[in-house]
Amino acid sequence: MLSKPSKVLTRSCSWLRGSLFTFIAFVSCASNASTSPELTMYDSNGAKAAPGVIVKSAATMTVTGLINHVVVTQHYRNENPFAVNARYVFPLADESAVHAMTMHIGERVIKGEIDKKAQAELRFQQAQQAGKQAALVHQQRSNMFVTNVANIGPGEDVQIELKYQEVIDYRSGTFALRFPTTITPRYHPITAVLQEQGERPNVEKQPASLFAPSGWITPIYSPSSHSDTAQSEFSLIINIDVGLELVDIQSKYHQIAIENPAFGQYQVALNESNAVDRDFLLEFKPLQKEQAQAAFFTEQLNNGERFGLLMLLPPDDHFTQTQRLAREMIFVVDTSGSMHGQSMEQAKSALHYALSLLDSNDSFNIIGFDDQIMPMSNNPVPANDFNLRRAERFVYNLQADGGTEIKGALDAVLDGHEHLGYVRQVVFLTDGSVSNEDSLFKHISAQLGDSRLFTIGIGSAPNSYFMRRAADVGRGTFTYIGNSGEVKPKMQQLFDKLAHPAISQLALSSELANQALEYWPSPLPDLYFSEPVMVAVKLDNQAAITLTGQTAQGPLAIKLNTQQGQSAQGIARLWARQKIKSLLLYNEQQQVKAQVESLALEHQLLSPFTAFIAIEKTQSNTVAEQNVQAANQLPEGLSMRLPQTDGQSRQYIMLGMLLLTGFAALRFKK
């Protein structure tokens, strides 16, 4: 039997061991974000195995007129002495119309086929189990895709080629191309309530990581943004032929090399070896701005169907002669954990500058949110000196932490009411790192009223899918700010636009009696200063169409001759892509599934209900039993101090520390 001092000593040692274990667990979890998982491989039993697959990617863009044709190539090389199955979660532009996939195995080329998603997944599983080499590409979100490659042999290379097209962005005389290279970690909301004792547990109130959105595949991350690992290699070439001399070509966040082989033709190449931790953005301006004020492109298919793509920028005098209206400005800023670091500094800088642009006739409020709502004031306040100084202190004290509960923030600012006598504009600053986008879009549509929602994407790799769609439903626009140096010009441009009334009630009409036009997006958004109308329309036998709207001076009507459009390829796909987007944006998915599926199959497009599948006919020697998922780089400037972005991990760690410490203390008292 131990003496009393010995018992005390033993209990003290136990308490110290428990405390030490708690400390080590905390340090291990907290440092997990700074250790590089690179590639994590698991066998069929879930046990970790050594990494050994290298993924390299490249993209080639060809810009003609308003359309960007893109070819993305993914190289998978298996350096293991055994076969593996590889998976890669990757981003593409949120407006991309993915219309082709090809698999290359050595000299063999297998063209992908579009199929219904469930059938494609079944065919892929059967091929994988049979030892055949196969590839499956499906859309997880409009800006997030997944490639699965089955049975890559030892030392073998497999190449997956994807083709997509998009309409290039144009505003204030400047064209812009954006290519995302990584994915900001997404937050999965927790919405259920606790059950009373004895009731059946509510599975909705569980850790978000266990109940991710249906079918959701989460990326894994290599946090080192300056890693020299082979899987971070990325190359990009852009060929520009818009038929105009360009006076300025610049990349905001990357080094580039520019060549001008002929008049109006330019080749831009990415000139960095490691550039996959931030979105690539290229901007270019034509010398003759007036020639870019209006553009109309048409395409006729073999079956006789005709489609048009219209960009129209009304003259500035429709806006500059108008009287400035009183406004209520509501600034909503995301302060969740994923905004920590560079993104939060950009948001604060944007808010400070926005406050300096307010007029004495304006009223305003600022609302910060993570998993809680933090308003500066319970009601909007006049933009006088006292309230502006109060707002600056409020912004200065904002800290990034917690989960991205956007619905609560929307509830705080959208009331579904009409606001007579002033314009109500909501400016939403966020990285959009959420996964429940569809439910948020429906919530915005139901609660908008006559407010207008303008989204500002903050950070090096924001979720532009959420922010662009939220702005579409909110009848506003989306602005992207990628670094602090862009805050002033981008916010000034936005406020110049918001300071003038919109052209509202925009619509396209046919001259043919009793024949409605099919155009997308539908309904058309409000039009603001220097913002063009971009719309895809099914023309068929239309000789002319008319754009109508309402301005402060009265009705606006512009007639367009459809026979004068320039010929271009891919307009029909863009029309179908925009129709699919609008159908999903304003309806429940299951209600429009048949329409979306039919459109996607007809025009060979990826959608939530279709996928590309390519299968090699011959069987490989062995069936792969090892699975590997390629890692994405963490976005530049994102300081993920904890391994998750939802704000729950810190609570779990602290709870674990308290439990362990309490257990040790109880043992010490015995």
Side-chain angles (χ1 to χ4, degrees):
M1 175 178 277
L2 292 174
S3 64
K4 186 173 182 180
S6 297
K7 290 180 179 178
V8 172
L9 181 60
T10 301
R11 291 169 180 166
S12 298
C13 290
S14 298
W15 183 83
L16 287 172
R17 281 198 301 269
S19 300
L20 180 60
F21 175 80
T22 303
F23 176 76
I24 291 172
F26 177 80
V27 172
S28 175
C29 290
S31 62
N32 194 35
S34 62
T35 59
S36 175
E38 300 299 331
L39 296 174
T40 304
M41 180 181 292
Y42 303 91
D43 62 21
S44 57
N45 295 320
K48 286 188 178 180
V53 168
I54 295 175
V55 180
K56 302 178 182 179
S57 57
T60 301
M61 297 181 172
T62 303
V63 180
T64 55
L66 295 177
I67 302 177
N68 182 23
H69 299 270
V70 187
V71 178
V72 177
T73 306
Q74 301 165 354
H75 297 265
Y76 297 81
R77 179 172 176 79
N78 179 18
E79 296 194 336
N80 293 286
F82 45 82
V84 300
N85 302 312
R87 171 186 288 161
Y88 182 39
V89 182
F90 62 97
L92 290 179
D94 57 286
E95 296 289 342
S96 58
V98 182
H99 60 87
M101 183 267 272
T102 306
M103 179 170 66
H104 300 258
I105 307 171
E107 298 297 322
R108 305 189 301 281
V109 179
I110 301 95
K111 185 177 180 181
E113 302 172 354
I114 194 75
D115 201 351
K116 295 179 180 179
K117 185 178 178 181
Q119 295 178 6
E121 289 176 340
L122 178 61
R123 292 170 60 189
F124 177 80
Q125 292 171 5
Q126 292 172 343
Q128 179 177 312
Q129 293 167 3
K132 296 180 179 180
Q133 291 178 315
L136 175 74
V137 179
H138 73 267
Q139 172 185 307
Q140 185 157 281
R141 288 290 189 273
S142 291
N143 64 339
M144 189 185 298
F145 298 79
V146 180
T147 296
N148 288 283
V149 185
N151 299 311
I152 307 176
E156 193 168 39
D157 282 291
V158 174
Q159 177 179 311
I160 306 299
E161 181 182 275
L162 298 173
K163 293 182 179 179
Y164 76 84
Q165 60 187 49
E166 62 179 341
V167 178
I168 60 177
D169 186 54
Y170 176 81
R171 64 180 68 185
S172 299
T174 301
F175 292 98
L177 292 173
R178 182 163 160 236
F179 188 86
T181 63
T182 191
I183 301 168
T184 296
R186 302 293 194 256
Y187 169 67
H188 307 312
I190 301 172
T191 57
V193 296
L194 293 174
Q195 303 291 333
E196 295 293 335
Q197 186 174 4
E199 291 185 7
R200 184 178 178 181
N202 187 343
V203 296
E204 292 180 4
K205 187 60 177 179
Q206 297 290 341
S209 59
L210 299 181
F211 293 95
S214 177
W216 182 272
I217 299 173
T218 304
I220 61 173
Y221 292 92
S222 170
S224 175
S225 60
H226 301 290
S227 165
D228 292 326
T229 55
Q231 60 264 24
S232 65
E233 290 187 15
F234 171 67
S235 62
L236 175 63
I237 295 176
I238 304 172
N239 299 298
I240 303 173
D241 185 6
V242 292
L244 297 172
E245 183 178 355
L246 304 180
V247 293
D248 185 27
I249 303 176
Q250 59 175 311
S251 171
K252 294 291 186 179
Y253 320 121
H254 296 81
Q255 298 176 15
I256 57 174
I258 304 172
E259 295 183 3
N260 184 199
F263 177 81
Q265 297 180 7
Y266 302 84
Q267 185 175 85
V268 179
L270 177 64
N271 200 19
E272 287 187 42
S273 57
N274 291 310
V276 292
D277 61 349
R278 58 202 184 277
D279 289 358
F280 177 87
L281 179 66
L282 185 77
E283 295 183 346
F284 52 96
K285 295 181 180 181
L287 178 63
Q288 296 145 316
K289 180 182 174 183
E290 64 276 10
Q291 293 191 20
Q293 296 293 309
F296 190 52
F297 297 86
T298 62
E299 179 185 29
Q300 182 163 335
L301 303 183
N302 294 332
N303 61 7
E305 290 183 330
R306 292 176 63 232
F307 297 86
L309 178 66
L310 166 70
M311 181 188 81
L312 179 67
L313 186 64
D316 290 350
D317 57 13
H318 280 286
F319 303 93
T320 55
Q321 296 176 5
T322 61
Q323 182 179 359
R324 192 183 190 282
L325 300 179
R327 295 175 301 165
E328 181 178 283
M329 300 291 298
I330 309 296
F331 300 101
V332 186
V333 57
D334 183 351
T335 60
S336 64
S338 63
M339 290 283 289
H340 183 78
Q342 178 178 296
S343 296
M344 195 69 239
E345 295 308 312
Q346 291 172 17
K348 286 185 176 184
S349 180
L351 281 172
H352 282 302
Y353 190 66
L355 292 171
S356 71
L357 298 175
L358 290 175
D359 187 87
S360 58
N361 294 322
D362 297 331
S363 60
F364 75 100
N365 199 0
I366 303 174
I367 297 175
F369 77 94
D370 41 42
D371 42 33
Q372 298 182 15
I373 305 300
M374 297 157 286
M376 181 195 78
S377 171
N378 291 329
N379 297 294
V381 297
N384 55 37
D385 290 341
F386 174 81
N387 288 324
L388 290 174
R389 286 194 297 271
R390 174 187 174 190
E392 289 173 355
R393 291 193 298 270
F394 178 82
V395 172
Y396 179 80
N397 290 321
L398 290 173
Q399 300 295 326
D401 194 13
T404 316
E405 292 286 357
I406 288 182
K407 182 178 181 298
L410 293 172
D411 286 336
V413 296
L414 300 181
D415 54 14
H417 296 158
E418 302 292 319
H419 302 85
L420 301 177
Y422 61 94
V423 178
R424 191 171 192 268
Q425 298 168 336
V426 178
V427 179
F428 211 109
L429 298 94
T430 178
D431 60 3
S433 62
V434 292
S435 64
N436 62 327
E437 296 101 333
D438 288 345
S439 65
L440 293 174
F441 300 149
K442 292 176 176 58
H443 193 67
I444 293 169
S445 179
Q447 298 296 324
L448 185 67
D450 69 350
S451 298
R452 293 295 179 257
L453 179 64
F454 299 85
T455 57
I456 299 178
I458 297 292
S460 53
N463 179 8
S464 58
Y465 162 64
F466 166 71
M467 286 172 289
R468 194 183 300 275
R469 299 292 193 280
D472 287 342
V473 177
R475 310 293 292 274
T477 57
F478 164 54
T479 300
Y480 171 46
I481 296 178
N483 62 37
S484 298
E486 291 186 304
V487 168
K488 286 189 177 181
K490 289 291 183 70
M491 292 302 289
Q492 182 68 62
Q493 186 181 91
L494 176 63
F495 267 70
D496 285 345
K497 177 176 66 180
L498 299 187
H500 298 84
I503 296 181
S504 60
Q505 302 177 36
L506 282 170
L508 281 174
S509 59
S510 167
E511 287 194 331
L512 300 177
N514 301 321
Q515 185 170 344
L517 284 177
E518 268 201 281
Y519 59 85
W520 312 98
S522 179
L524 289 175
D526 292 344
L527 184 63
Y528 284 82
F529 174 70
S530 78
E531 290 284 343
V533 171
M534 285 280 196
V535 56
V537 56
K538 190 173 183 179
L539 297 170
D540 291 339
N541 57 345
Q542 303 285 339
I545 57 177
T546 303
L547 178 72
T548 58
Q550 289 291 328
T551 73
Q553 287 80 32
L556 170 74
I558 301 175
K559 187 176 181 179
L560 299 166
N561 187 339
T562 65
Q563 306 300 323
Q564 295 179 348
Q566 301 179 44
S567 178
Q569 292 185 345
I571 306 285
R573 290 194 201 102
L574 294 172
W575 174 85
R577 175 70 179 80
Q578 288 296 321
K579 182 172 182 177
I580 289 172
K581 168 186 170 180
S582 293
L583 286 171
L584 293 172
L585 202 54
Y586 296 103
N587 301 277
E588 294 291 338
Q589 272 203 7
Q590 292 305 312
Q591 293 177 351
V592 295
K593 179 179 178 179
Q595 281 181 273
V596 171
E597 201 171 65
S598 176
L599 271 170
L601 292 173
E602 179 184 353
H603 293 272
Q604 303 283 293
L605 296 176
L606 275 187
S607 76
F609 311 117
T610 53
F612 276 108
I613 176 76
I615 301 175
E616 170 65 286
K617 300 303 180 184
T618 59
Q619 182 175 337
S620 62
N621 294 329
T622 58
V623 178
E625 296 183 357
Q626 308 267 13
N627 302 316
V628 59
Q629 180 169 330
N632 297 85
Q633 289 282 3
L634 273 178
E636 181 185 46
L638 178 59
S639 303
M640 291 196 68
R641 298 166 294 175
L642 292 165
Q644 299 180 15
T645 183
D646 63 359
Q648 306 295 323
S649 52
R650 179 178 289 102
Q651 299 172 20
Y652 298 150
I653 290 171
M654 294 303 296
L655 178 60
M657 289 180 64
L658 289 172
L659 289 173
L660 286 170
T661 304
F663 176 72
L666 286 173
R667 291 194 60 188
F668 180 80
K669 291 180 179 179
K670 289 181 180 179

